[in-house]
Amino acid sequence: TRWHPRLVFLLHAETLVQRMMQPPHVVLATDNFSASAVLAYHAKQTVAVFGPGTSHARQDDIQTDWRKHDGRDLVIFRRELPPIEEYAPYFDTVRIEPITIEGAQFYLVHGQGFRYTAYRDGVLQFVRERWYRIPSALPIASCYFCERYFPGGPCVR
């Protein structure tokens, strides 16, 4: 059924984490917060949300500092085959590995040489404008996201 891959993901997340951690010392990520939360539980470490995500991914904005990953290698879990062009601007090299677990097809995006500046300009700027836009009627005291990635620039009004 169409639920099979989702059930396999939940029941075999530990197997998936083991596959993602080869090679060791890579940054683990997904494209959405719920998958990151499930994999983080099994990995016993933070699993970042790569890309803009949704409003739920804003929790990851608190946990993940993308500046610290500049130059590192990432493995990003995807449930569906992503276009490689979605990742190419943010890495020196990218390859997509299909993996099958219990008959369910998943994809691992292997990004080598993360380009933080390109990611800030291409993704974090969008996140800032979409989810950190402060209404003009409200004062701005501080904003961890804007201060972290756009120092000296106020949050978007």
Side-chain angles (χ1 to χ4, degrees):
T1 72
R2 64 183 178 97
W3 292 102
H4 180 72
R6 290 187 181 270
L7 293 172
V8 168
F9 170 74
L10 293 172
L11 294 171
H12 297 280
E14 191 167 343
T15 300
L16 183 57
V17 164
Q18 291 170 357
R19 293 281 299 271
M20 290 176 72
M21 295 178 98
Q22 300 302 319
H25 309 297
V26 295
V27 177
L28 304 181
T30 73
D31 66 335
N32 69 80
F33 184 72
S34 62
S36 286
V38 169
L39 295 178
Y41 174 81
H42 292 282
K44 297 176 180 42
Q45 68 181 53
T46 299
V47 176
V49 176
F50 190 91
T54 65
S55 61
H56 301 288
R58 307 304 37 107
Q59 174 66 30
D60 184 66
D61 294 341
I62 297 168
Q63 297 171 325
T64 303
D65 185 344
W66 288 106
R67 300 171 300 180
K68 294 179 180 180
H69 299 311
D70 192 34
R72 293 192 63 196
D73 296 344
L74 278 75
V75 175
I76 305 159
F77 168 78
R78 293 290 302 256
R79 287 187 174 115
E80 297 176 1
L81 179 64
I84 201 162
E85 300 82 29
E86 190 174 317
Y87 294 93
Y90 310 120
F91 295 97
D92 293 336
T93 61
V94 178
R95 71 178 172 83
I96 297 175
E97 174 191 6
I99 61 169
T100 303
I101 300 173
E102 295 294 321
Q105 185 79 45
F106 303 110
Y107 301 89
L108 299 180
V109 178
H110 296 267
Q112 294 182 309
F114 175 64
R115 298 175 180 165
Y116 162 71
T117 303
Y119 188 76
R120 182 195 63 214
D121 296 345
V123 174
L124 299 177
Q125 179 63 33
F126 170 81
V127 168
R128 177 187 186 198
E129 292 171 7
R130 174 70 174 91
W131 284 289
Y132 291 92
R133 182 175 297 277
I134 308 299
S136 59
L138 296 177
I140 298 176
S142 67
C143 173
Y144 63 88
F145 184 87
C146 295
E147 290 169 4
R148 180 185 292 165
Y149 299 121
F150 304 97
C155 282
V156 179
R157 289 241 181 227

